[in-house]
RNA sequence: GCGGCAGUAGCUCAGGGGUUAGAGCGCCUGACUGUGGCUCAGGAGGCCGUGGGUUCAAAUCCCAUCUGCCGCCCCA
């Protein structure tokens, strides 16, 4: 085997691709229930959009982007997430304005240069939502509600919704400093790598898996003490609505997201079936992002959901749907007569999904193929049938076979399928 | 980016220095002249991930590399 798919990428093969279609179709249907409309943005953007949008110091920007220069000397980046491009398109095309609420959804590949693992790829796929123009907790709740509805619709039972608030920019800045002050003695004992990581984003120390850090952070100041009244009220109201919706959730004070643009609400849905990469989706409010990338101050909230992870969770739970047969019938063609081809064409015109053996092998072989294909019916056309002016329609599950006039074949199969 | 485990037929895997590398499943053909599933018989299919080294001899031992997986980091 000479060529392989690049590291961290994968082919989505027949059988699997139907599951992807089902999952995407379900997502579109759920989005429609809330009036979200699809947006499709380019696969790459100006590098600066992500640097400004996600934050210069974030992991994604510093070490995970696929950045390249095109022949015109422009720096471009394969999109590592969907929000910044969606917002860029929203601004560029004037999809909303002051006082207007805009609802967008997307389904897109994303690219991150990471070490691959189950549930983590260099090309991954996300579905996502952006609710732009509302700063209310009701908006956050709508996004969470839609997300959970999708998972429920897919049949993912085991999941945990975690929510937290990060407050607004000012309180976060003050809290960061307080955390750093508190942790300074601890930082001296850590490796260079950890120190750099924590200094650039002290909130990470809160959910670190390093036991030394965990122990040291037990007595750390909490964000709650710094939270401004507005953020506090926003969060309380959100929790109240989530309760009303009947959503089960946990407040996780250590939930920190990796992108700088989040303000106030952050949330994550986790699956116990996914191992280390257990986040099914992540989202939250980003009231500063739009201004950050050159738009007017506009509040917004959204979520990004991993398609591969949803499929992995379904697979682990044994809840993946069976893939359907690719055809309604398999035509057993035992003649060279052009009349047979006309029959096939006519049946397809009437909407019959019909498979054939282009090699026109023996009857036995064609029947074997028919069986293997999963098509419920085999329709035989040979010289005998052409002479009599009828086809033999066989139901493969029962073995029952009857002669049917060619113009009645499709109706015959259709009514048998519905029965 | 760090630590660990693993790559042999389409798939799951055995073989762990000594002739032409195996099994099960799958695939193709036949027994059955035009009827699938079951059975039986036959067949196709392998640079043993790749490159280098040790050795009289390497799928097997060593090194490097690539890819996957587990954990960390991070996140979808």
């Amino acid at each position: 085997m000479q060529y392989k798919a690049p590291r961290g990428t994968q082919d989505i093969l027949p059988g699997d691709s139907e599951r992807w279609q089902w999952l995407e179709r379900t997502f579109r249907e759920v989005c429609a229930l809330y009036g979200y409309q699809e947006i499709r943005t380019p696969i790459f953007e100006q590098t600066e959009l992500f640097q400004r949008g996600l934050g210069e110091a974030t992991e994604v920007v510093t070490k995970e982007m696929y950045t390249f220069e095109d022949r015109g000397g422009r720096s471009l980046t394969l999109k590592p997430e969907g929000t910044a491009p969606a917002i860029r398109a929203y601004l560029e095309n004037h999809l909303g304005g002051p006082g207007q609420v805009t609802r967008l959804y997307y389904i897109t590949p994303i690219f991150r240069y990471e070490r691959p693992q189950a549930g983590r790829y260099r090309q991954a796929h996300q579905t996502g939502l952006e609710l732009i123009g509302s700063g209310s907790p009701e908006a956050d709740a709508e996004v969470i509600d839609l997300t959970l509805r999708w998972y429920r619709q897919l049949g993912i039972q085991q999941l945990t919704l975690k929510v937290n608030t990060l407050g607004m920019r000012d309180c976060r800045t003050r809290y960061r400093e307080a955390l750093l002050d508190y942790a300074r003695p601890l930082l001296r004992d850590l490796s260079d790598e950890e120190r750099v990581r924590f200094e650039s984003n002290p909130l990470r120390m809160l959910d670190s898996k390093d036991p030394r850090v965990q122990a040291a952070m037990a007595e750390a100041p909490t964000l709650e003490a710094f939270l401004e009244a507005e953020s506090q009220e926003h969060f309380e109201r959100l929790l109240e609505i989530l309760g009303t919706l009947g959503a089960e959730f946990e407040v996780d004070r250590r939930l920190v997201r990796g992108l700088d643009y989040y303000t106030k609400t952050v949330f994550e849905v986790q699956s116990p079936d996914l191992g280390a990469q257990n986040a099914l989706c992540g989202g939250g409010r980003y009231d500063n992002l739009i201004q950050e990338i050159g738009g007017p101050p506009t509040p917004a909230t959204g979520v990004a959901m991993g398609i591969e992870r949803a499929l992995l969770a379904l697979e682990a739970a044994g809840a993946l749907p069976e893939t359907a047969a690719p055809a309604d019938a398999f035509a057993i063609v035992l003649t060279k007569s052009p009349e047979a081809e006309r029959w096939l064409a006519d049946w397809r015109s009437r909407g019959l999904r019909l498979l054939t053996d282009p090699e026109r092998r023996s009857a036995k072989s064609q029947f074997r193929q028919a069986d293997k294909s999963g098509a419920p019916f085999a329709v035989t056309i040979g010289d005998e049938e052409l002479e009599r002016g009828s086809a033999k329609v066989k139901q493969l599950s029962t073995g029952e076979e009857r002669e049917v006039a060619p113009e009645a074949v499709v109706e015959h199969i259709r009514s048998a399928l519905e029965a």
Side-chain angles (χ1 to χ4, degrees), chain A residues 265-337:
Chain A
T265 309
V266 290
F267 69 95
E268 189 169 296
V269 174
Q270 298 177 353
S271 162
D273 298 324
L274 290 185
Q277 264 59 50
N278 67 349
L280 282 170
C281 73
R285 175 159 288 286
Y286 48 94
D287 288 344
N288 299 326
L289 173 65
I290 296 176
Q291 204 171 6
E292 196 64 47
I293 62 177
T298 311
T301 182
V303 60
M305 295 154 270
I307 294 181
E308 286 87 349
R309 292 191 184 176
L311 288 168
L312 284 171
L314 283 163
E315 190 186 4
L320 274 178
E322 291 297 313
T323 43
D328 303 314
F330 193 106
I332 315 285
V333 182
L334 303 170
T335 173
K336 296 278 186 207
S337 166

Side-chain angles (χ1 to χ4, degrees), chain A residues 84-106:
Chain A
I87 295 304
R88 191 227 83 229
Y90 160 88
L91 289 170
E92 182 174 344
N93 298 286
H94 310 288
L95 299 186
Q100 286 178 47
V101 169
T102 304
R103 290 179 171 85
L104 302 173
Y105 79 82
Y106 59 81

Side-chain angles (χ1 to χ4, degrees), chain A residues 187-205:
Chain A
L187 288 176
R188 274 196 291 273
D189 296 336
L190 297 177
S191 67
D192 287 352
E193 192 200 323
E194 277 183 310
R195 193 169 335 110
V196 168
R197 195 164 73 233
F198 292 143
E199 277 171 357
S200 69
N201 189 349
L203 302 203
R204 289 215 183 297
M205 286 186 283

Side-chain angles (χ1 to χ4, degrees), chain A residues 352-365:
Chain A
L352 188 72
R353 301 182 305 151
L354 194 60
L355 218 36
T356 63
D357 173 19
E359 300 287 324
R360 303 283 195 260
R361 277 171 281 208
S362 67
K364 171 188 288 297
S365 171

Side-chain angles (χ1 to χ4, degrees), chain A residues 122-190:
Chain A
R122 290 184 171 181
Q123 175 175 346
H125 299 79
Q126 296 183 336
T127 60
L129 305 171
E130 314 298 347
L131 201 175
I132 306 159
S134 169
S136 78
E138 282 79 358
D140 294 335
E142 176 177 303
V143 167
I144 292 171
D145 183 50
L146 196 164
T147 300
L148 294 176
R149 188 182 292 271
W150 184 48
Y151 288 137
R152 237 180 291 132
Q153 199 84 6
L154 292 177
I156 299 178
Q157 306 289 348
Q158 293 293 322
L159 43 75
T160 310
L161 168 63
K162 295 194 166 176
V163 293
N164 191 21
T165 181
L166 299 178
M168 295 191 284
R169 194 161 20 201
D170 289 349
C171 95
R172 186 123 118 244
T173 308
R174 280 183 287 124
Y175 180 53
R176 283 169 94 122
E177 277 159 21
L179 260 187
L180 268 182
D181 286 343
Y182 170 84
R184 229 174 285 281
L186 167 72
L187 288 176
R188 274 196 291 273
D189 296 336
L190 297 177

